[in-house]
């Protein structure tokens, strides 16, 4: 039996910040809840990032929900990437039951059912705030990484951006980009202008770029690129003193990994470029929660992984914290894991040799404790219990504590379709971003220019018609590689339709 008095003294001293804080639960010792030990997090260290891990069904999502609620109480907004689609209930008040009554009797805290301000968001056309960005906002380097282009192709994209900037051609959506590529390779005036002032484009490179653009469009990116582009300042709202919980529903990430990578890169870059330096201001400006993070890391491109590593290191100074929710700590790359100050570890199951290795690895990352046999207890944590270690106000890791977590005060279930419709119909942000703005951009300007050139040519040429040589754009798509690409798209499209009808064959 551990020394209870010593436990209370040591843990209370390390989990009693002088500044403002949030509470996650009460300490436990030998299976008993110790009400005297509050497990708290100082607001000033929440931008040091964190991890919520645990096996399926151990309560990670409910911990995330309670965490977001506590932040909202302090006026701190959050953005939750809800991959399973089970987080939206935070918009409605919870209801007390026998389990919650027992839990709060043990913690000696009060349970107050309540709803929290919520904005539902989407990048794939569902109900909610439409998140968009323009091609210009991405820039040539970021766009080239998303399209997974090589150095030569990336230099061509940079030339195209420079050409459009010099000629006053706005690049809003992917149609604009494709139209410019067509203009500078098929149109005599555009082709000559590009070759004389910027350099020519090889047909092979053009074909590779076009295939990458079409591949991105197949994942739904056509509706992501456009105007009005989303202003990240709209993530920072409060209502009645509570921080708004922004929920991005991305349940189809596995079928659209490139689109999701596009969004993530855009979001991180925009936040970093837009938000001013905060330093250690006392509390975070925004907290990002990435649920089911193992799906992100498994499906993400190398570009996204590198960008996440970079942003985790840099974005703290902008007053932004990033929290990953996953099954085992090993799901998170080592370079990212080493940057995470808070670790909330639910139970892990040691069914296989690999599982036992993951448990040993997780325990090795905890501060040494005399109060627990961590390698044994981690496999026997109950639902709503977790190991926690964080950073105190001086940035020093706190002792490992077996924590009896608080329950969410909002509904621990999803919103109904009717509730989603009602919530989005009342949202000012939904109305703000609902309608796509179709301004005159590169597509319209070049289409008019090419049409005018065609009309001028037809009035001056009254001799017998001469067969026009196919343009580079057309040649690429009619080439053997182009035909193969078109056939592949048709075949994959057919497979997709058959899959929707339940007639698809076996999947990889």
């Amino acid at each position: 039996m551990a020394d209870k008095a010593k436990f209370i003294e040591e843990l209370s001293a390390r989990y009693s910040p002088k500044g403002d804080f949030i509470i996650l639960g009460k300490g436990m010792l030998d299976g008993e809840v110790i009400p005297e030990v509050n497990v708290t997090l100082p607001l000033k260290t929440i931008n040091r990032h964190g991890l919520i891990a645990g096996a399926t069904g151990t309560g990670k999502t409910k911990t995330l929900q309670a965490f977001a609620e506590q932040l909202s109480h302090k006026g701190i907004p959050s953005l939750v990437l809800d991959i399973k689609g089970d987080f939206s209930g935070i918009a409605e008040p919870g209801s007390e039951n026998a389990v919650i009554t027992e839990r709060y009797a043990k913690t000696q805290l009060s349970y107050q059912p309540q709803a929290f301000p919520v904005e539902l968001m989407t990048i794939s056309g569902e109900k909610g705030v439409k998140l968009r960005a323009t091609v210009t906002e991405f820039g040539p380097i970021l766009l080239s990484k998303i399209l997974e282009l090589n150095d030569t192709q990336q230099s061509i994209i940079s030339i195209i951006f420079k050409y459009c900037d010099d000629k006053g051609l706005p690049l809003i959506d992917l149609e604009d980009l494709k139209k410019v590529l067509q203009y500078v390779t098929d149109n005599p005036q555009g082709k000559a202008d590009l070759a004389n002032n910027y350099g020519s484009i090889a047909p092979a490179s053009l074909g590779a770029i076009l295939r990458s653009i079409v591949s991105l469009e197949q994942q739904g990116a056509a509706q992501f690129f456009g105007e009005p582009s989303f202003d990240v300042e709209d993530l920072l709202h409060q209502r009645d003193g509570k921080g708004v919980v922004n929920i991005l529903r991305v349940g189809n990430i596995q079928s659209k990994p490139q689109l999701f990578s596009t969004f993530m890169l855009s979001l991180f870059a925009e936040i970093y470029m837009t938000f001013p330096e905060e330093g250690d201001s006392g509390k975070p400006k925004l907290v990002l929660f990435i649920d089911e993070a193992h799906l992100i890391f498994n499906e993400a491109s190398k570009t996204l992984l590198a960008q996440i590593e970079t942003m985790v290191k840099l974005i703290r100074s902008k007053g932004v914290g990033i929290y990953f929710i996953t099954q085992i700590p090993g799901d998170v790359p080592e370079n990212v894991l080493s940057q995470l100050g808070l670790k909330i570890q639910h139970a892990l199951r040691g069914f296989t040799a690999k599982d036992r290795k993951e448990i040993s690895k997780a325990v090795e990352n905890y501060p040494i404790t005399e109060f627990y046999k961590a390698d044994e207890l981690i496999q026997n944590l109950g639902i709503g219990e977790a190991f926690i270690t964080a950073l105190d106000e001086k940035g020093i890791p706190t002792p490992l504590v077996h924590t009896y977590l608080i329950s969410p005060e909002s509904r621990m279930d999803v919103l109904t379709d009717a509730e989603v419709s009602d919530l989005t119909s009342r949202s000012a942000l939904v109305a703000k971003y609902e309608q796509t703005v179709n301004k005159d951009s590169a597509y319209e300007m070049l289409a008019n220019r090419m049409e005018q050139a065609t009309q001028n040519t037809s009035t001056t040429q009254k001799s017998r018609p001469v067969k026009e040589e196919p343009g580079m754009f057309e040649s690429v798509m009619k080439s053997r590689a182009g035909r193969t690409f078109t056939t592949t798209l048709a075949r994959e499209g057919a497979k997709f339709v058959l899959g929707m009808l339940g007639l698809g064959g076996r999947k990889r």
Side-chain angles (χ1 to χ4, degrees), residues 26 33-36 38 101-111 404:
K26 298 285 186 172
V33 179
I34 311 298
E36 295 88 345
N38 290 316
T101 300
E102 179 185 4
R103 179 168 293 269
Y104 278 83
K106 291 181 179 180
T107 61
Q108 297 180 11
L109 296 170
S110 61
Y111 177 72
Y404 196 66

Side-chain angles (χ1 to χ4, degrees), residues 38-108:
N38 290 316
V39 180
T40 61
L41 301 178
L43 291 187
K44 70 177 296 182
T45 65
I46 288 178
N47 65 337
R48 303 295 181 92
H49 316 311
L51 171 74
I52 301 174
T56 300
T58 54
K60 299 186 300 295
T61 302
K62 300 302 175 281
T63 299
L64 161 59
Q65 190 169 341
F67 196 164
E69 290 177 355
Q70 292 295 304
L71 293 172
S72 182
H73 277 307
K74 297 296 181 179
I76 301 170
S78 56
L79 173 63
V80 181
L81 275 60
D82 183 19
I83 291 175
K84 297 197 300 289
D86 57 357
F87 193 78
S88 60
I90 196 171
E92 293 292 329
S95 56
E96 191 164 354
N97 54 42
V99 175
I100 291 177
T101 300
E102 179 185 4
R103 179 168 293 269
Y104 278 83
K106 291 181 179 180
T107 61
Q108 297 180 11

Side-chain angles (χ1 to χ4, degrees), residues 232-244:
V232 292
E233 295 284 346
D234 281 332
L235 295 172
L236 304 181
H237 293 167
Q238 295 181 351
R239 290 184 204 148
D240 300 325
K242 291 180 179 178
V244 172

Side-chain angles (χ1 to χ4, degrees), residues 45-50 76-79 232 235-236 267-268 270-272 274-279 281 283-289 311-323:
T45 65
I46 288 178
N47 65 337
R48 303 295 181 92
H49 316 311
I76 301 170
S78 56
L79 173 63
V232 292
L235 295 172
L236 304 181
L267 179 70
F268 284 163
E270 194 67 18
I271 286 176
Y272 187 75
T274 303
F275 289 2
E277 290 286 332
E278 292 282 331
S281 61
K283 78 176 192 179
K285 176 180 289 186
L286 176 69
V287 177
L288 305 178
F289 292 102
M311 283 300 167
V312 166
K313 295 174 183 177
L314 299 178
I315 209 168
R316 177 187 68 82
S317 66
K318 303 290 185 173
V320 178
I322 302 177
Y323 288 77

